[in-house]
Amino acid sequence: MSGVSLKNIVKKYDAVEVIHNIDLDIKEGEFCVFVGPSGCGKSTLLRMIAGLEETTSGQMSIGGRDVTKADPAERGIAMVFQTYALYPHMTVEENMGFGLKMNKVPKDVIAQKVGEASRILKLDDYLKRKPKALSGGQRQRVAIGRAIVRGPEVFLFDEPLSNLDAELRVEMRVEIARLHNEIGATMIYVTHDQVEAMTLADKIVVLRAGNIEQVGSPLHLYDDPDNKFVAGFIGSPGMNFLEGVVQGQGVRVPALADRIIETAVGLPAQGTAVTVGVRPQTMMLESGTGPLKIDIAEELGGVSYIYLNAPTGERLVVEARGKSMARSGSSANVQFAPEDALFFDAKSEKRLR
Ligand SMILES: Nc1ncnc2c1ncn2[C@@H]1O[C@H](COP(=O)(O)OP(=O)(O)OP(=O)(O)O)[C@@H](O)[C@H]1O
Ligand SMILES: [Mg+2]
């Protein structure tokens, strides 16, 4: 088991730089998730750690060894991809043991390692089957088994669950968390699904356009985001953002009939534009009167999401427990504690603290 350290990592494809000067330390045994929108560089960074993409400049070490220029096979890593390309003519156990067989590992050692992986992944009943006789989730488990038998220091996962249906994804998410608890290896996991990131990670790395926006534990990023991007990306439904203007000791919000939200954070000069962020979970809906109009109410059973339109054209969502009683088209207002509001510089989008 080993930590991973990245220093000033840059990736260029010809003249185009897609990863800009990334510094990151992942501790031994940590579950680290790279999250961010499509095209932000998650897979590129992971493939660079795997040695599948050359690193343009910077330094990379695994377990204290400099691996910047090392071959993938010398890095002590194993990677699980989104498409799990199993050999169709081989059984589950042959698929899992194939890499070891190619490396001339003795048969009894292969059998022991495949047996161990199969126990962890609950594949014992399927060892003699071919991949076509397996469900998507079982196939993905075989692909993970192939990685486990190699005994890597670091596991790398690139969106391993995105080909599965929603139910299986939840099931496999729990399996992967259990796998990490059981074998304790360092894991780096790429996803654009913030729920996967929140539930699996010890540490989340939020990427945007080849830069790290913020690094922290799931709850740290949720409670204390450094900027509007992270605030909006972490949490579901996403944080509500409303335009505001500094006035007196607070921020005036036109969407809420010029309500002034008082705050102790360091605000810019009077009249400056500021963005106010409030999570749907901390807002309370009052229906009947108010400046807002209820658009749609989504009833999910245990919770409901109520979408609202403001006279300014801005949109809001409120999360309510149980049935909402909200009627499309009726007037409404929202209440929240001023200390639950976050403030962001309208231009730089940085958090005001
Ligand atoms: N071989 C390549 N040549 C040129 N540009 C590339 C190449 N591979 C990736 N890129 C660019 O690098 C950027 C990052 O791509 P990457 O695949 O890492 O994104 P991602 O975060 O994994 O996105 P997704 O969520 O869609 O998988 C993108 O702008 C992409 O177009
Ligand atoms: Mg990708």
Side-chain angles (χ1 to χ4, degrees), residues 11-14 16-19 35-47 53 82 158-159 190-192 207 209-210:
K11 176 69 184 176
K12 285 186 188 167
Y13 289 111
D14 300 321
V16 185
E17 190 172 300
V18 297
I19 298 287
V35 73
S38 186
C40 69
K42 306 178 293 293
S43 297
T44 303
L45 193 57
L46 195 75
R47 292 170 57 82
E53 292 283 351
Q82 175 180 350
D158 193 352
E159 310 233 16
V190 163
T191 182
H192 58 256
L207 290 163

Side-chain angles (χ1 to χ4, degrees), residues 295-315:
D295 181 11
I296 303 272
E298 289 181 336
E299 306 279 356
L300 277 81
V303 294
S304 21
Y305 300 134
I306 299 113
Y307 295 84
L308 303 149
N309 290 321
T312 49
E314 294 168 285
R315 284 172 61 78

Side-chain angles (χ1 to χ4, degrees), residues 96 109-120 124 127 149:
M96 287 203 281
V109 176
I110 298 180
Q112 184 253 321
K113 293 199 170 191
V114 169
E116 171 74 8
S118 145
R119 180 188 61 74
I120 293 172
D124 287 345
L127 287 174
V149 297

Side-chain angles (χ1 to χ4, degrees), residues 242-243 251-261 276 278 283 290-292 308-312 314 316 332-336:
L242 296 171
E243 286 173 16
V251 174
R252 178 170 55 81
V253 182
L256 303 177
D258 287 331
R259 188 185 311 173
I260 292 183
I261 302 161
V276 180
V278 186
M283 275 186 168
L292 307 170
L308 303 149
N309 290 321
T312 49
E314 294 168 285
L316 286 158
N333 203 353
V334 289
Q335 299 299 344
F336 52 90

Side-chain angles (χ1 to χ4, degrees), residues 217-255:
S217 71
L219 292 182
H220 176 192
L221 297 191
Y222 183 87
D223 289 333
D224 199 11
D226 280 344
N227 56 52
K228 187 180 163 203
F229 180 78
V230 173
F233 199 81
I234 301 288
S236 172
M239 184 178 277
N240 293 300
F241 295 111
L242 296 171
E243 286 173 16
V245 181
V246 178
Q247 185 172 321
Q249 298 301 305
V251 174
R252 178 170 55 81
V253 182

Side-chain angles (χ1 to χ4, degrees), residues 155-172:
F155 283 81
L156 305 176
F157 295 92
D158 193 352
E159 310 233 16
L161 308 185
S162 51
N163 280 351
L164 306 177
D165 66 36
E167 201 175 324
L168 253 177
R169 223 160 43 215
V170 174
E171 202 175 294
M172 282 303 297

